[in-house]
Amino acid sequence: MRKDIHPSNYRPVVFKDMSNGDMFLTRSTCKSNETVEFEGQEYPLIKVEISSTSHPFYTGKNKLVDTAGRVDKFLSRYGKSRKQQ
């Protein structure tokens, strides 16, 4: 195997699903300025909007997760402008 081909900052990182608060530990090279205590140790924290614990495909629930109000903005713009057929 070739030497020095892997990133040097590959380390344990905690990812936090912001829609349901679930956290999981994995290894990553993502940069983070925040840290969190997880299972008694301090790790860098990466916040994600959706993960496998909240995504409708994995959970089987048709739940709409909209943190920025994009759906409401779309409906207010285009929801009432549809022509009646």
Side-chain angles (χ1 to χ4, degrees), residues 63-77:
K63 181 176 88 172
L64 180 63
V65 177
D66 182 29
T67 59
R70 293 182 293 267
V71 173
D72 293 332
K73 186 176 179 181
F74 177 83
L75 290 176
S76 68
R77 236 186 228 177

Side-chain angles (χ1 to χ4, degrees), residues 5 7 9-10 12 14-15 18 27 32-33 38 40 45-46 48-49 51 55 57-58 60 66 68 70-71 73 76 80:
I5 62 170
N9 63 342
Y10 190 63
V14 172
F15 284 85
M18 298 308 292
R27 295 179 62 87
S32 175
N33 295 331
F38 185 74
L45 175 66
I46 304 294
V48 293
E49 288 188 25
S51 69
H55 195 279
F57 179 80
Y58 297 105
D66 182 29
R70 293 182 293 267
V71 173
K73 186 176 179 181
S76 68
K80 296 178 183 178

Side-chain angles (χ1 to χ4, degrees), residues 11 13-14 16 18 30-37 42-47:
R11 71 217 185 281
V13 175
V14 172
K16 182 176 182 180
M18 298 308 292
C30 293
K31 296 178 183 177
S32 175
N33 295 331
E34 297 181 57
T35 60
V36 68
E37 186 173 325
E42 193 86 8
Y43 295 103
L45 175 66
I46 304 294
K47 295 178 180 177

